Amino acid sequence: EESAEDMDSRMVRLAVDELVDPCNVLVPMTEDGKLGFGHLQYQEFLAAEEMLMNRSIEVVEYLDKPWWRGALLFFAQMNDSLKWLVESVVEKMSVSVYHEALQSMVEVGGKKERAELLKVIEQHRHLDEASPPVLKEVEEAEEQFDAIR
């Protein structure tokens, strides 16, 4: 008769084998048979989950890194609100540097705040690029951002 431990081990092996073939979720990555994710999106999804659960991860640090774009988009979809992220970038750094990533994240994020956040991002991007920024535009952008807080 099979022990519970043997049965558990057999079930794990069966599950892993099925993830390899026919699913191709896991594929051999090394000559010694170590497995890895066959599709980058699985890795991106798991990275996004880690970003969501691990508050010590500074998401802003990844905004300007193209390799992280897929994970950031998943992260945006998992969040109820991205106001905190846009606010952090607006207050601490140049929006124009992170414009593309922020815009993409807001576009796949919650619909409720999408239009307002896209407007804030665009206004601050223009302000960053202006030389020198016009005081009236700065005040208007700040007022609109304060209105969505």
Side-chain angles (χ1 to χ4, degrees), residues 47-62:
E49 277 193 331
E50 182 65 20
M51 287 177 171
L52 187 66
M53 302 307 277
N54 186 343
R55 294 187 181 257
S56 69
I57 296 174
E58 293 291 331
V59 176
V60 173
E61 293 177 12
Y62 299 96

Side-chain angles (χ1 to χ4, degrees), residues 8-25:
D8 288 345
S9 179
R10 191 172 56 81
M11 294 301 287
V12 167
R13 186 72 229 159
L14 179 62
V16 170
D17 287 346
E18 291 221 1
L19 289 171
V20 173
D21 185 31
C23 298
N24 291 323
V25 170

Side-chain angles (χ1 to χ4, degrees), residues 19-20 23-29 34-44 46:
L19 289 171
V20 173
C23 298
N24 291 323
V25 170
L26 296 176
V27 295
M29 301 296 270
K34 290 185 179 173
L35 301 173
F37 289 103
H39 301 283
L40 184 58
Q41 283 193 328
Y42 293 118
Q43 294 174 44
E44 293 169 338
L46 293 174

